Each structure stands twice: as structure tokens, then as C-alpha cells.
Amino acid sequence: MKKLYFTIAIGSLIALASCTSEEPSDESNQSSQGGKISFRAEMDTRATEINNSNLNQIRVSGFIGDQTLFNGIDFTRGADSYFTSENDYYWPGDNTKVDFVAYAPTQPGGTISISPSSQLLSDFSPASNIADQIDFITSSASGTKEANEKQGLELVFNHRLSQIEINAKADNPVYVFKVTGIRIGQPVSKASYDFKANTWTLGTDKAIYETTYNTPVTLSATATNLMGDNQNAMLIPQQLTGWDPKGDPTNTAAGAYLSLRLQINTVDGAQVYPFPSNGNCIWASIPIDTEWEAGNKYIYNLDLSHGAGYVDPHDPDPGVDVLGGPIEFTVSVVKWADQNVDKPMNE
């Protein structure tokens, strides 16, 4: 494949607001403390991302200066769409400012350490199976009883991972392209996130992420999403360095690439890929060198109409073109040679 097409869509922000409980409190409580802290979700995002329909719990920590009001408390969505904790926490009655840090899901993987001075997610690694990967969102805000008890404190959540979608098409009337899986090869697979600085610190580990399926997807002139319903990849933001299929076919440098688990046949039935000489070779790849940024969705649109990339670096014949150039012929015509045949008519 000679060209790689991709478009970038910015992921929507997620808004959460806090509000006071609608339950009445007695006068002594009103004089010494504010209303109960609860949260309300207001979101409209893609199906694979955390959204109103699938966000049922958030984990929140609250701090007053260098003191901890509460740490790592789960707030769960109720029937009224408010998120409340099992034990109630209240706004300080003297109007002291409270700083909040929140994230979801409550167990994103890795190790979370939250304190007034340091807020880290350490050694985070996405699941190796793309279908098992999940979104990760965070928010921080400050509020007081006077400013936020009645009108609520808004928490604006941002996506901290990059979302990857792979589509493919093939507008070619003489070949049939069938896909049974996708692979995202060799991005950095472990990193730590700093809530305060909003930065990722990348490790050195890399991994191959993939998903496969039994029912083939037959490509057509219209691009098809190969990820399956709600199964886009959620990976660590980073600058990718692409695989060099000709200079480093076995990918010793661990360059990044996309692969399709691919079978190619002619419309007359002949199989041209996998190659007959190595029938277990089923992945076809293309290098990628995109910079993935947090909160962005990257939609790779692969066009196989005039080529199908290179043999995957982990298969036999790595780096070899899956399809060569168009079959062409040079034609020459031998001149007629006169041959005289004498035949008498009186025989």
C-alpha cells in the first residue's frame, strides 16, 4: 500500500457538576456545615468513550490546603442521575475552599497515588486485547460553600488517552479482500500520568495490540470500520516512529505499524495472499509515524484499492510487498513470412 489516509477528530469534553442534596437539613447543620456533596454527570461523547450511559461511578479526593477531607471515595450514580458516596461529605460551613481531584474508571490499571502535593497514576498499561481497553478521564476543580453549594461545582473531565479507529476499503473489481483482524504494532505500552502537570512520562516497554474475529469482513468501495462495535483502541499518547519495512524488515528497531489479518483472492478464485509458499502468513502491514495526543481520536482510513502494504514483520517474508505492481505486458508481433506453394490445377 502506497498511501495511508487518516483524519483526526477531537474528543468531546466531559462535564460533571456538583450540587447540594435536595434533602432538608436542620438549622444547626446549616450553621456549621454546608449541604452534602454530590455530583451530576452531563456528557455527550462517542460510544467507545466514557459517557452518560456507561459512567456509573467516579472516584474523588477532596483537600483543604495540605489536609485531606477525603481520599479515593467512590461516588455512584443514583436513579436521579446524581452521584453520591456511601457516607456523606459536606461543604465546610466557614466557606473554606476545597480542592477536588477526580477520575474514572475507578480502577484504570497501574497504581494511583493521590495526596495534596502529588497525584500520580504509575505504570499504566493498556490491555493487550483491544476489545478490553478502556477510557481514562480526569478532572480537578476548587469550590466553596458560598459559591457552589446551591449552583453546583462543575468538574470538566478530559480524556487522557488517544483513541484509535481503523477503517479500510478496496475499490478493485478483480480482487476480493477479506479481513479477520487488526493489529497495532509497537507503540510504547507503559507510562505514568501526572494529574497536576497533565503529562505522561513514557517508559521503554512496547507491545502489540490486536483483535481478531471469525467472520471475515469483505472490503468494498465504502470504508468499513474494522474495530467492531465499541472496540476502538485506547492507547497512551506519544510520538510514533514508523517501521522501516525495506531497511529493517524484521523490525529490530520496534517501529510502529498497523496490520490487517488479510486474505486476497481474485474474483476467479485464485488466492494471492497469503503466499502459497508460506500459507501461515496472514498479516499485511503499513508503517505509521503519527503523533497521538491525549483527547484526540485518530481515524485511519486504509485504502487497498491499488496495493496492500507489506508482509508483517513477524511473518515469513517480512517487508515484502503483499502485491507487486500492476501486471503489464510488452507485445511484439512477428511479421508474416511469405511461403509460396505451387499447385498445378490438372492433378
Side-chain angles (χ1 to χ4, degrees):
M1 188 181 301
K2 302 301 183 184
K3 295 182 181 180
L4 170 67
Y5 301 89
F6 67 91
T7 57
I8 299 173
I10 304 299
S12 302
L13 296 181
I14 300 176
L16 295 180
S18 74
C19 60
T20 61
S21 170
E22 295 181 358
E23 297 177 1
S25 59
D26 59 38
E27 293 182 359
S28 62
N29 281 342
Q30 290 179 356
S31 63
S32 61
Q33 63 185 23
K36 182 174 68 176
I37 297 173
S38 62
F39 298 90
R40 176 172 51 86
E42 296 178 355
M43 295 170 285
D44 183 14
T45 58
R46 297 178 182 86
T48 53
E49 300 172 348
I50 293 176
N51 55 44
N52 269 334
S53 64
N54 61 26
L55 179 60
N56 295 311
Q57 196 169 65
I58 59 176
R59 185 160 289 179
V60 187
S61 298
F63 304 103
I64 301 173
D66 60 358
Q67 299 183 71
T68 300
L69 179 65
F70 58 83
N71 197 339
I73 299 300
D74 291 343
F75 284 72
T76 303
R77 181 202 290 264
D80 58 0
S81 293
Y82 287 94
F83 287 68
T84 57
S85 56
E86 182 178 359
N87 298 308
D88 296 338
Y89 292 90
Y90 298 89
W91 291 102
D94 63 354
N95 211 42
T96 298
K97 183 183 72 170
V98 182
D99 300 315
F100 295 98
V101 176
Y103 61 90
T106 58
Q107 295 181 340
T111 302
I112 291 227
S113 176
I114 302 290
S115 71
S117 59
S118 177
Q119 297 148 19
L120 297 174
L121 166 62
S122 302
D123 296 330
F124 170 81
S125 293
S128 58
N129 185 350
I130 291 175
D132 295 331
Q133 293 172 358
I134 55 178
D135 200 356
F136 175 56
I137 59 174
T138 72
S139 180
S140 61
S142 300
T144 64
K145 174 182 181 295
E146 181 178 329
N148 304 110
E149 181 181 32
K150 293 183 178 179
Q151 63 269 34
L153 172 67
E154 183 181 41
L155 290 178
V156 178
F157 277 71
N158 287 280
H159 300 281
R160 300 307 182 190
L161 298 175
S162 300
Q163 184 178 169
I164 313 301
E165 179 178 310
I166 301 174
N167 303 324
K169 69 176 183 177
D171 188 7
N172 189 318
V174 296
Y175 287 96
V176 178
F177 298 83
K178 294 183 178 181
V179 179
T180 54
I182 61 95
R183 174 182 285 174
I184 302 173
Q186 302 294 357
V188 171
S189 60
K190 182 177 287 187
S192 296
Y193 176 73
D194 188 321
F195 287 69
K196 280 179 166 285
N198 184 24
T199 57
W200 286 94
T201 300
L202 300 179
T204 57
D205 294 350
K206 292 189 173 183
I208 295 173
Y209 302 101
E210 66 181 52
T211 187
T212 59
Y213 30 89
N214 294 325
T215 303
V217 175
T218 301
L219 302 184
S220 67
T222 302
T224 301
N225 185 339
L226 300 177
M227 308 297 286
D229 293 339
N230 305 335
Q231 292 184 7
N232 285 355
M234 296 287 183
L235 298 176
I236 297 168
Q238 59 191 276
Q239 172 65 64
L240 300 174
T241 299
W243 169 47
D244 180 2
K246 298 304 182 183
D248 182 18
T250 59
N251 203 17
T252 58
Y257 61 91
L258 302 179
S259 283
L260 305 182
R261 196 169 184 236
L262 183 65
Q263 183 183 84
I264 307 174
N265 297 281
T266 68
V267 294
D268 293 315
Q271 180 175 305
V272 296
Y273 190 79
F275 302 145
S277 60
N278 43 331
N280 63 334
C281 176
I282 55 176
W283 293 90
S285 306
I286 191 74
I288 53 172
D289 59 1
T290 318
E291 181 179 5
W292 292 342
E293 296 183 1
N296 286 3
K297 178 179 179 181
Y298 296 84
I299 306 173
Y300 290 89
N301 297 306
L302 307 182
D303 187 351
L304 283 71
S305 301
H306 305 290
Y310 310 93
V311 178
D312 187 279
H314 297 282
D315 285 331
D317 296 323
V320 172
D321 292 343
V322 171
L323 296 176
I327 296 174
E328 299 175 338
F329 298 94
T330 59
V331 177
S332 62
V333 178
V334 177
K335 292 183 179 180
W336 294 104
D338 292 340
Q339 299 291 332
N340 292 318
V341 178
D342 295 328
K343 186 68 175 176
M345 294 291 293
N346 61 350
E347 290 185 356

Short mmCIF file of all heavy atoms in Angstrom, two decimals, residues 226-249:
data_model
loop_
_atom_site.label_atom_id
_atom_site.label_comp_id
_atom_site.label_asym_id
_atom_site.label_seq_id
_atom_site.Cartn_x
_atom_site.Cartn_y
_atom_site.Cartn_z
N LEU A 226 -13.20 -1.62 11.05
CA LEU A 226 -12.72 -2.97 11.32
C LEU A 226 -12.58 -3.27 12.81
O LEU A 226 -12.17 -4.37 13.18
CB LEU A 226 -11.34 -3.17 10.65
CG LEU A 226 -11.31 -2.99 9.13
CD1 LEU A 226 -9.88 -3.15 8.63
CD2 LEU A 226 -12.24 -3.99 8.45
N MET A 227 -12.92 -2.32 13.66
CA MET A 227 -12.69 -2.48 15.09
C MET A 227 -13.82 -3.21 15.80
O MET A 227 -13.66 -3.67 16.93
CB MET A 227 -12.50 -1.10 15.76
CG MET A 227 -11.46 -0.22 15.09
SD MET A 227 -9.81 -0.90 15.15
CE MET A 227 -9.41 -0.62 16.87
N GLY A 228 -14.98 -3.29 15.19
CA GLY A 228 -16.13 -3.87 15.87
C GLY A 228 -16.83 -2.82 16.71
O GLY A 228 -16.32 -1.73 16.97
N ASP A 229 -18.05 -3.13 17.15
CA ASP A 229 -18.84 -2.17 17.92
C ASP A 229 -18.16 -1.87 19.26
O ASP A 229 -17.83 -2.78 20.03
CB ASP A 229 -20.25 -2.73 18.18
CG ASP A 229 -21.06 -2.85 16.90
OD1 ASP A 229 -20.71 -2.16 15.92
OD2 ASP A 229 -22.02 -3.64 16.88
N ASN A 230 -17.97 -0.59 19.53
CA ASN A 230 -17.46 -0.12 20.82
C ASN A 230 -16.10 -0.73 21.17
O ASN A 230 -15.81 -0.95 22.34
CB ASN A 230 -18.46 -0.43 21.95
CG ASN A 230 -19.84 0.13 21.67
OD1 ASN A 230 -19.99 1.09 20.93
ND2 ASN A 230 -20.85 -0.47 22.28
N GLN A 231 -15.26 -0.97 20.18
CA GLN A 231 -13.99 -1.62 20.45
C GLN A 231 -12.81 -0.87 19.88
O GLN A 231 -11.79 -1.47 19.53
CB GLN A 231 -14.01 -3.07 19.93
CG GLN A 231 -14.97 -3.96 20.69
CD GLN A 231 -14.91 -5.41 20.23
OE1 GLN A 231 -14.07 -5.79 19.42
NE2 GLN A 231 -15.79 -6.24 20.75
N ASN A 232 -12.91 0.44 19.76
CA ASN A 232 -11.75 1.22 19.35
C ASN A 232 -10.65 1.10 20.39
O ASN A 232 -10.90 0.90 21.58
CB ASN A 232 -12.13 2.69 19.16
CG ASN A 232 -12.92 2.92 17.88
OD1 ASN A 232 -13.11 2.00 17.09
ND2 ASN A 232 -13.38 4.14 17.69
N ALA A 233 -9.41 1.24 19.93
CA ALA A 233 -8.28 1.14 20.86
C ALA A 233 -8.16 2.41 21.69
O ALA A 233 -8.48 3.51 21.23
CB ALA A 233 -6.99 0.91 20.08
N MET A 234 -7.73 2.26 22.95
CA MET A 234 -7.44 3.36 23.86
C MET A 234 -5.99 3.21 24.30
O MET A 234 -5.66 2.34 25.12
CB MET A 234 -8.37 3.33 25.07
CG MET A 234 -9.84 3.55 24.75
SD MET A 234 -10.17 5.27 24.33
CE MET A 234 -11.96 5.19 24.10
N LEU A 235 -5.10 4.04 23.75
CA LEU A 235 -3.67 3.86 23.94
C LEU A 235 -3.00 5.12 24.48
O LEU A 235 -3.58 6.21 24.48
CB LEU A 235 -3.02 3.44 22.62
CG LEU A 235 -3.53 2.10 22.05
CD1 LEU A 235 -2.90 1.83 20.70
CD2 LEU A 235 -3.25 0.96 23.02
N ILE A 236 -1.77 4.97 24.93
CA ILE A 236 -1.03 6.04 25.58
C ILE A 236 -0.61 7.09 24.55
O ILE A 236 -0.07 6.75 23.49
CB ILE A 236 0.21 5.47 26.29
CG1 ILE A 236 -0.21 4.50 27.39
CG2 ILE A 236 1.08 6.58 26.86
CD1 ILE A 236 0.93 3.66 27.94
N PRO A 237 -0.85 8.38 24.81
CA PRO A 237 -0.41 9.43 23.87
C PRO A 237 1.11 9.40 23.70
O PRO A 237 1.85 9.24 24.68
CB PRO A 237 -0.86 10.72 24.56
CG PRO A 237 -1.97 10.30 25.47
CD PRO A 237 -1.60 8.93 25.94
N GLN A 238 1.57 9.59 22.44
CA GLN A 238 3.01 9.52 22.16
C GLN A 238 3.28 9.87 20.71
O GLN A 238 2.39 9.84 19.87
CB GLN A 238 3.53 8.10 22.43
CG GLN A 238 2.83 7.02 21.60
CD GLN A 238 3.17 5.63 22.06
OE1 GLN A 238 4.19 5.08 21.67
NE2 GLN A 238 2.30 5.05 22.91
N GLN A 239 4.54 10.18 20.43
CA GLN A 239 5.00 10.34 19.05
C GLN A 239 5.50 8.99 18.57
O GLN A 239 6.43 8.41 19.12
CB GLN A 239 6.12 11.37 18.97
CG GLN A 239 6.80 11.46 17.62
CD GLN A 239 5.88 11.95 16.51
OE1 GLN A 239 5.40 13.08 16.55
NE2 GLN A 239 5.63 11.11 15.51
N LEU A 240 4.89 8.47 17.50
CA LEU A 240 5.29 7.18 16.96
C LEU A 240 6.45 7.33 15.99
O LEU A 240 6.56 8.34 15.28
CB LEU A 240 4.11 6.53 16.24
CG LEU A 240 2.85 6.25 17.06
CD1 LEU A 240 1.74 5.74 16.15
CD2 LEU A 240 3.13 5.26 18.18
N THR A 241 7.31 6.33 15.96
CA THR A 241 8.35 6.21 14.95
C THR A 241 8.02 5.00 14.10
O THR A 241 7.86 3.88 14.63
CB THR A 241 9.74 6.03 15.59
OG1 THR A 241 10.03 7.18 16.39
CG2 THR A 241 10.81 5.88 14.52
N GLY A 242 7.85 5.19 12.80
CA GLY A 242 7.34 4.14 11.94
C GLY A 242 8.34 3.04 11.64
O GLY A 242 9.56 3.25 11.60
N TRP A 243 7.83 1.84 11.45
CA TRP A 243 8.59 0.69 10.98
C TRP A 243 9.16 0.97 9.59
O TRP A 243 8.49 1.59 8.75
CB TRP A 243 7.66 -0.52 10.96
CG TRP A 243 8.17 -1.75 10.26
CD1 TRP A 243 9.39 -2.33 10.39
CD2 TRP A 243 7.45 -2.55 9.32
NE1 TRP A 243 9.48 -3.45 9.61
CE2 TRP A 243 8.30 -3.62 8.94
CE3 TRP A 243 6.16 -2.50 8.78
CZ2 TRP A 243 7.90 -4.60 8.03
CZ3 TRP A 243 5.76 -3.47 7.88
CH2 TRP A 243 6.63 -4.51 7.52
N ASP A 244 10.38 0.49 9.33
CA ASP A 244 11.01 0.61 8.02
C ASP A 244 10.97 -0.75 7.35
O ASP A 244 11.85 -1.59 7.57
CB ASP A 244 12.46 1.10 8.18
CG ASP A 244 13.17 1.25 6.84
OD1 ASP A 244 12.55 1.03 5.78
OD2 ASP A 244 14.39 1.59 6.86
N PRO A 245 9.94 -1.03 6.53
CA PRO A 245 9.77 -2.40 6.00
C PRO A 245 10.89 -2.85 5.08
O PRO A 245 11.14 -4.05 4.96
CB PRO A 245 8.43 -2.34 5.27
CG PRO A 245 8.21 -0.90 4.98
CD PRO A 245 8.86 -0.14 6.08
N LYS A 246 11.58 -1.94 4.41
CA LYS A 246 12.65 -2.32 3.49
C LYS A 246 14.01 -2.32 4.18
O LYS A 246 14.82 -3.23 3.99
CB LYS A 246 12.66 -1.38 2.27
CG LYS A 246 11.38 -1.44 1.44
CD LYS A 246 11.09 -2.86 0.98
CE LYS A 246 9.83 -2.94 0.11
NZ LYS A 246 9.50 -4.34 -0.27
N GLY A 247 14.29 -1.30 5.00
CA GLY A 247 15.58 -1.24 5.68
C GLY A 247 15.67 -2.10 6.92
O GLY A 247 16.76 -2.51 7.32
N ASP A 248 14.53 -2.38 7.55
CA ASP A 248 14.51 -3.17 8.79
C ASP A 248 13.28 -4.08 8.75
O ASP A 248 12.34 -3.93 9.54
CB ASP A 248 14.46 -2.23 10.00
CG ASP A 248 14.49 -2.96 11.33
OD1 ASP A 248 14.89 -4.14 11.35
OD2 ASP A 248 14.09 -2.35 12.35
N PRO A 249 13.27 -5.06 7.84
CA PRO A 249 12.04 -5.85 7.63
C PRO A 249 11.58 -6.62 8.86
O PRO A 249 10.38 -6.80 9.06
CB PRO A 249 12.41 -6.79 6.48
CG PRO A 249 13.91 -6.83 6.46
CD PRO A 249 14.35 -5.48 6.93
#
